[in-house]
């Protein structure tokens, strides 16, 4: 199985369209750099910190005030990618890579942006509810205040893989047999709770992340029950964004034929090589299936073929 594991592990490739973890990393880092340079320009022009917050950040982060949010609905999208502190984005991107990569391998690449976005939306809801309903615990809404960052989206990915495969072991190089994924989830929680306790974080971030955890757990339980809601949502959004490019639209029949091509006839020379006793095209079909729908989509026959191919390769 080791050979198959190496082949199917997605790399951090900037040109890999189906590696949605890479795409999310790039978007977050790009937005961080953009905000950083805008801030520098403001200071070079003689403006103060409050001017930058008033003109840029209030139009980027999600406000706890429902009225402000209704007036600036685009912040629902911009806030989930916005960071200003280097260590803040560094921490979030490390955890995004860890949990996102594992979830992508288990559930398929289409689930990643759906879990991230829905987790962020759920985080906005819990943040607004906490601030408006528990004023004694959370700071009151003031001008220029709001929430932003990948915290809720990353929390959704973390909760998603933990609830989807609680017994999963990863990173065998760190520990014999691998480290249970729930241990990484526990470390992730402890780090963020400790940062708030030591004054380096905000209680509002915990409320924000709570929504992400709830969304990730609900989506994971739906996946375990056979739901592919994330796939349909991804396909719908992709087709909407490619409405003027019909050739690139996703279709179930087209996608299946592209992913699982018909094998050559027995009467013609075989234009492929074999991995042991298994044709290479069959291995590629299974690896494509893993990338599209995750390990959980494999049938017992698919798993047996991968095991057989690995043994033959050895």
């Amino acid at each position: 199985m080791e050979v198959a594991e190496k082949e199917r592990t997605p790399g951090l490739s900037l040109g890999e369209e189906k590696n949605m973890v890479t795409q999310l990393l790039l978007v977050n880092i790009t937005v961080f750099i953009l905000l950083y340079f805008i801030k520098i320009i403001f200071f070079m022009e003689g403006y103060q910190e409050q001017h930058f917050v008033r003109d840029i950040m209030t139009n980027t982060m999600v406000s706890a005030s429902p009225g402000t949010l209704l007036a600036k609905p685009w912040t629902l999208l911009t806030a989930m990618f916005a960071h200003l502190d280097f260590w803040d984005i560094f921490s979030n991107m490390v955890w995004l890579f860890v949990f996102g990569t594992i979830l992508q391998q288990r559930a398929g690449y289409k689930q990643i942006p759906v879990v991230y976005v829905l987790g962020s939306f759920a985080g906005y809801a819990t943040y607004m509810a906490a601030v408006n309903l528990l004023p004694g615990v959370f700071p009151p809404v003031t001008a220029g205040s709001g929430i932003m960052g990948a915290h809720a989206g990353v929390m959704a990915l973390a909760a998603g893989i933990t609830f989807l495969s609680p017994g999963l072991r990863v990173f065998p190089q760190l520990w014999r047999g691998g480290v249970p994924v729930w241990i990484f989830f526990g470390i992730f929680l402890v780090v963020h709770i400790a940062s708030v306790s030591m004054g380096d974080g905000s209680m509002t971030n915990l409320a924000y992340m709570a929504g992400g955890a709830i969304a990730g757990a609900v989506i994971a339980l739906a996946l375990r029950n056979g739901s592919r809601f994330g796939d349909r949502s991804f396909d719908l959004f992709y087709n909407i964004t490619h409405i003027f490019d019909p050739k690139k639209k996703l279709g179930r029949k087209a996608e299946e034929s592209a992913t699982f091509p018909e094998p050559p006839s027995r009467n013609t020379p075989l234009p492929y090589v074999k991995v042991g006793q298994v044709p290479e095209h069959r291995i590629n079909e299974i690896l494509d299936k893993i990338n599209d729908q995750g390990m959980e989509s494999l049938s017992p026959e698919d798993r047996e073929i991968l095991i057989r191919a690995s043994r033959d390769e050895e």
Side-chain angles (χ1 to χ4, degrees):
M1 192 67 178
E2 182 180 354
V3 175
E5 289 286 334
K6 289 181 180 179
E7 289 190 56
R8 71 176 176 81
T9 302
L12 189 60
S13 171
L14 301 184
E16 182 66 46
E17 290 185 1
K18 291 188 177 182
N19 191 334
M20 298 311 299
V21 175
T22 301
Q23 304 300 324
L24 287 177
L25 287 170
L26 288 175
V27 173
N28 276 278
I29 293 172
T30 301
V31 173
F32 169 73
I33 294 174
L34 179 62
L35 289 175
Y36 186 79
F37 275 104
I38 292 176
K39 188 175 182 179
I40 291 177
I41 292 173
F42 262 69
F43 290 164
M44 290 177 62
E45 293 294 328
Y47 292 101
Q48 302 298 317
E49 179 83 19
Q50 60 268 26
H51 298 116
F52 173 74
V53 172
R54 182 196 63 194
D55 296 340
I56 303 299
M57 297 316 300
T58 56
N59 291 298
T60 302
M61 64 179 65
V62 167
S63 173
S65 170
T68 303
L69 179 59
L70 288 175
K72 302 176 180 180
W74 63 85
T75 58
L76 292 172
L77 179 62
T78 58
M80 67 179 71
F81 301 110
H83 302 78
L84 280 179
D85 182 74
F86 172 78
W87 292 111
D88 195 25
I89 189 174
F90 177 80
S91 173
N92 277 332
M93 294 305 98
V94 168
W95 291 113
L96 170 61
F97 179 76
V98 171
F99 292 118
T101 300
I102 300 171
L103 182 60
Q104 185 167 252
Q105 291 175 0
R106 302 298 297 183
Y109 74 96
K110 293 181 180 180
Q111 301 294 326
I112 302 303
V114 175
V115 173
Y116 183 91
V117 171
L118 292 183
S120 298
F121 285 169
Y124 300 148
T126 52
Y127 160 71
M128 294 181 69
V131 173
N132 289 285
L133 300 179
L134 300 172
V137 179
F138 296 90
V141 179
T142 58
S145 66
I147 198 72
M148 66 179 187
H151 308 81
V154 174
M155 173 59 81
L157 295 172
I161 185 57
T162 304
F163 281 84
L164 178 63
S165 304
L168 178 66
R169 290 178 175 268
V170 295
F171 301 119
Q173 63 272 24
L174 297 180
W175 189 264
R176 186 175 182 180
V179 182
V181 70
W182 61 264
I183 290 183
F184 283 99
F185 183 62
I187 294 173
F188 177 62
L189 287 177
V190 169
V191 168
H192 283 82
I193 293 175
S195 66
V196 172
S197 301
M198 293 185 295
D200 295 329
S202 170
M203 282 289 292
T204 55
N205 277 340
L206 294 183
Y208 183 41
M209 294 172 66
I214 295 171
V218 170
I219 295 173
L221 295 177
L223 281 171
R224 293 181 64 176
N225 290 327
S227 172
R228 302 301 299 184
F229 167 78
D231 290 358
R232 294 191 296 272
S233 300
F234 181 94
D235 292 347
L236 176 62
F237 178 77
Y238 185 93
N239 288 332
I240 291 174
T241 57
H242 290 76
I243 192 171
F244 297 110
D245 192 358
K247 293 182 179 180
K248 290 188 176 182
K249 284 189 176 182
L250 294 177
R252 184 172 297 276
K253 292 183 179 179
E255 189 177 47
E256 287 178 355
S257 63
T259 305
F260 304 104
E262 291 294 329
S265 170
R266 293 183 179 180
N267 298 325
T268 59
L270 297 179
Y272 54 83
V273 299
K274 289 186 176 182
V275 181
Q277 299 300 316
V278 182
E280 184 184 31
H281 83 275
R282 185 71 179 102
I283 297 296
N284 291 334
E285 290 173 4
I286 297 175
L287 295 176
D288 286 341
K289 186 176 181 181
I290 292 173
N291 190 43
D292 288 343
Q293 303 178 30
M295 286 291 293
E296 302 296 328
S297 66
L298 295 185
S299 65
E301 179 185 359
D302 294 334
R303 296 176 186 271
E304 178 62 29
I305 290 175
L306 284 181
I307 294 174
R308 182 152 36 100
S310 298
R311 289 173 178 170
D312 292 339
E313 187 73 12
E314 292 173 359

